[in-house]
Amino acid sequence: VQLQASGGGLVQAGGSLRLSCAASGGTFTFRQYGMAWFRQAPGKEREFVSAIRGGDSNTRYADAVKGRFTISRDNALNTVYLQMNNLKPEDTAVYYCAARGGWSVQYYRQSQYDYWGQGTLVTVSS
C-alpha cells in the first residue's frame, strides 16, 4: 500500500486547509482500512491528530484539534481527508497519513499503523 499526502501549505492563523491522502497499490480493500493523521512539529515528537475507521467511518480526534479539524474518507476514491479550520500557529507541522488493516483500540499509537505517507508541511503564520 502506498500513501500520497498532499494539500499542505502556508496559511494565516484563523485560515483553513484541506489535506488529502490517496492510497494505492496491491489488492487491498481501502474501506477495510483504518486511516489516521499524525503530525510532527519542529523539535517535537510525532503526535496523533485524528483517525477514521473503515466500514462505519467512526472518527477520533486529539483534544488539541477537536472542534476544528474534521477527518473523512471517500472509499470510492481510496482517499482520506483532513479538513483543518481555525488554524493556529501551534498547528504548524509536517502532517503524515497512515493506514492499517482493520482497526485498533490504540488508534492513537504510531506503532499500530503499517503504512505511512511521505508527509506534507503545514505552516500557520501568526
Side-chain angles (χ1 to χ4, degrees), residues 21-70:
C21 176
S24 62
T27 58
F28 79 104
T29 303
F30 180 76
R31 65 178 180 272
Q32 296 176 347
Y33 275 64
M35 303 295 295
W37 289 95
F38 289 77
R39 67 185 181 186
Q40 187 167 18
K44 296 187 176 181
E45 294 186 353
R46 194 175 298 187
E47 64 177 6
F48 169 75
V49 175
S50 184
I52 185 167
R53 192 158 62 187
D56 64 2
S57 294
N58 199 291
T59 59
R60 299 285 189 275
Y61 296 95
D63 287 344
V65 306
K66 203 171 292 184
R68 299 188 297 122
F69 291 12
T70 302

Side-chain angles (χ1 to χ4, degrees), residues 4 6 11 30 48 62 65 89 92 103:
Q4 180 71 41
S6 61
V11 63
F30 180 76
F48 169 75
V65 306
T92 294
W103 181 252

